[in-house]
Amino acid sequence: TLFRSKKLGPINAWWVTGFDGGEKALIGFTTAFADYILMDPSEEYARIFALMQEKIYMSKIVVEFLQMNPDATYEDLLNKVETTVPPAGLNFNRFTEDSLLRHAQFVVEQVESYDEAGDTDEPPIIITPCMRSEEH
């Protein structure tokens, strides 16, 4: 159910979901009462929300690419990033190496979080050659 709201806190945790090959990457949060997914921000938060969307979509590209290409190099990842068209309705029209580098810390943290939440039979993607070069 979609509804406008405010003052739902206190917030216990923030999270990102959508690393399953689908189009959407979503920002959500958890309170003592429920989990919430953020959809459209109020004007007051639009700028911050747009920045977060760029970060989470960058993370989504990296995670999904490395899931399918564990032997990829940084150059392979960069090619994927630069040739991916952002979903319609976002506040930006392309991904660049600059945006990847600007959000590198966030992306690495999301990859680590993804690995921690993964099944024990899944190889971690943080140890792929591409991620080792991005961490440094």
Side-chain angles (χ1 to χ4, degrees), residues 7-21:
K7 297 184 180 181
L8 296 173
I11 295 172
N12 297 334
W14 287 94
W15 39 269
V16 177
T17 189
F19 301 110
D20 59 359

Side-chain angles (χ1 to χ4, degrees), residues 16-134:
V16 177
T17 189
F19 301 110
D20 59 359
E23 275 188 43
K24 293 228 180 231
L26 303 169
I27 304 169
F29 66 92
T30 301
T31 70
F33 305 105
D35 292 332
Y36 301 91
I37 295 175
L38 303 179
M39 301 302 286
D40 296 315
S42 66
E43 267 187 53
E44 185 179 1
Y45 293 103
R47 193 172 82 16
I48 294 168
F49 192 75
L51 177 63
M52 284 305 301
Q53 285 191 309
E54 183 179 17
K55 288 180 174 187
I56 66 168
Y57 275 99
M58 183 66 71
S59 299
K60 179 176 173 52
I61 293 167
V62 170
V63 167
E64 290 177 352
F65 179 74
L66 293 177
Q67 285 174 323
M68 302 305 292
N69 304 283
D71 296 323
T73 64
Y74 177 78
E75 289 74 24
D76 297 330
L77 174 62
L78 184 57
N79 182 56
K80 176 63 177 175
V81 165
E82 293 181 332
T83 58
T84 299
V85 176
L90 299 182
N91 227 12
F92 53 96
N93 58 11
R94 66 189 192 113
F95 295 105
T96 64
E97 182 175 22
D98 183 54
S99 56
L100 176 61
L101 295 174
R102 186 172 55 250
H103 302 308
Q105 182 64 41
F106 181 85
V107 170
V108 168
E109 289 169 3
Q110 293 305 305
V111 168
E112 289 171 339
S113 177
Y114 179 84
D115 281 346
E116 288 170 13
D119 294 333
T120 55
D121 64 336
E122 289 182 278
I125 59 176
I126 195 71
I127 63 170
T128 61
C130 176
M131 284 305 295
R132 280 194 234 129
S133 67
E134 186 168 326

